[in-house]
Amino acid sequence: MDTVILDLEWNAAYSRRLRGYINEIIEFGAVKCGPDLKARSVFSCFVKPQVGKHISSTISSLTSITDENLKEGLSFMQAAARFKRWAGDCVLMTWGTSDILTLIENCRYFSGREEVPFLSRYVDLQRYAQVQMGWGASTQVGLSRAAELLELDVSGMEHHRAKDDSLMTLEILKQVYDEKAIAPFVDICDREFYRRMTFKTSYVCDLGSPLIEAGHLRFSCPKCGGEAKRVTRWNLKNKSFRAEFACKSCGHPFGGRLIIKQKYEGLSVNKKTFPLPEIQEPRKAVPGLLGNMRLEMPEGVGLLRFPAFDSLPMVNHCFSTRVGGVSKGEFASMNLGTNRGDPNENVAENFRIFCRAAGFEAESLVAGAQDHHVNIRQVGLPERGIGIWREKDMESIDGLCTDVPGVTLVIYTADCVPLYFVDPEHHAIGLAHAGWRGTAAGMAKVMAERMQAAFGTDPRKLITAIGPSICKACFEVDEPVAAEFLKLENAEKFVSLPTEADVKYHVDLWECNRQFLLQAGVREENITVGGICTMCESDLIFSHRRTRGHRGSNCAMLALQ
């Protein structure tokens, strides 16, 4: 039989009929080959949207497909019929199952049929390739990453366009193909196949569920293997049950995490033990220099400032510490983060105390919805209070910028990197949150470019600073994270490879961000690295790693006077 490799592009569109979203297909791309795996013909067509009127800006940016491209496209049913005639009797392959699930969803929506008319035999090529190449199945290897691992030259192909992605997938298939090895991965597309494909894995989040057995709740001591006794109540967090245990034999205390999933194949029970968090009392802070920052104690509230910003009277800035608030326990005492378990009234009072001591107007604060991307929002007076006193009105915002006085930019950190930007020429500022993902994605450079576009900022005149965050010695990572940094320019300046004495990689987030600032055109003398590690100074500043998530949140603030 012929082999057809299919790739689809789609746009999330709201359906009134479903009262929810559907991934509406907007482009088909495929390549057909015989047993020799040589491309014989290709298929490509746009699909005119029938549910969503416009492509989202995110999808348009990702794929370069525009509304104009789709005006002359086929309807979905026309495209499916044309594809069926072209494909003939074949084994259909896709990279991962998301395209097939989207195809089933669209067939169901537009035709009312549960089955895809041209689907008789199917191979999830991603699953096969990961097994064949020994990449493991715990994490899914993306299409471009697979091409990179196989050292394929795909420079002439446009990623996230259906036809080129199908051709890229064919090149991968050529590298991993083995007729005998792939045979067990060929699925016959019968009713059982559709039931399995469309089954939605769910989490069991009720300890009273009849699916849970007594043995599921028992943990053994990770130190001696003895039977352990649970000493706290079960707590449900992020769809996992957590509790503290003590070994009956050696007394060793530890935490236990239980995740129970209802899968198509049956119940999946995953147990993990972990060390209990190290909770420290805030230290008695003494004003003075710390790293390249200055610790101040106005009204008994600890805050950190950059002496390098003293010559900029146009701005007020600071970074919070744990000192001077009303929160207790693991949140002690100046916790500025909500949704962590600290009562909201404590957090609100902490904000008022901190703003009064630091010289900010509490009502002027603006925060984004941070999720470790590089999206930046320009804000003004109408946004005052959003994210602090008013609900967040946008998702995925890790950077804020403004040229309006009376607006205080706020970002949260607890090991991640806060980045400060001041444009003295155009009286504009920017504040960004850069976790390891944001750092590797170039948030520092993205903010400089955004300010240049929004305010006419000359990067050479920007005054920047890198605030308190985890240092290189403390930020040890495994190969998948290190790989994201190793592919960056000048990686040798901020990544240390494992050694016999230390099997972990170490990444210098400060230096990586500094390199991105230099690439953006910021002058070296205009970059200040605070030099304060949140893990090393965890009794002064909240650290996520030190406390294993049992902590409050720090805030960076920046405002135009």
Side-chain angles (χ1 to χ4, degrees), residues 21-38:
Y21 282 88
I22 178 176
N23 290 321
E24 186 175 16
I25 295 171
I26 56 175
E27 186 181 32
F28 275 73
V31 56
K32 182 192 294 185
C33 59
D36 57 1
L37 298 186
K38 290 183 179 179

Side-chain angles (χ1 to χ4, degrees), residues 43 45-50 70 72-79 82:
F43 180 92
C45 75
F46 286 122
V47 181
K48 187 176 183 179
Q50 296 167 257
L70 303 182
E72 304 302 321
L74 304 174
S75 70
F76 171 77
M77 294 305 297
Q78 289 172 329
R82 184 173 296 184

Side-chain angles (χ1 to χ4, degrees), residues 55 59 63 115 128 131 170 255 320 379 393 405 423:
I55 303 179
I59 297 300
T63 64
E115 297 83 18
Y128 165 72
V131 172
L170 175 58
S320 70
V379 295
D393 61 350
D423 176 359

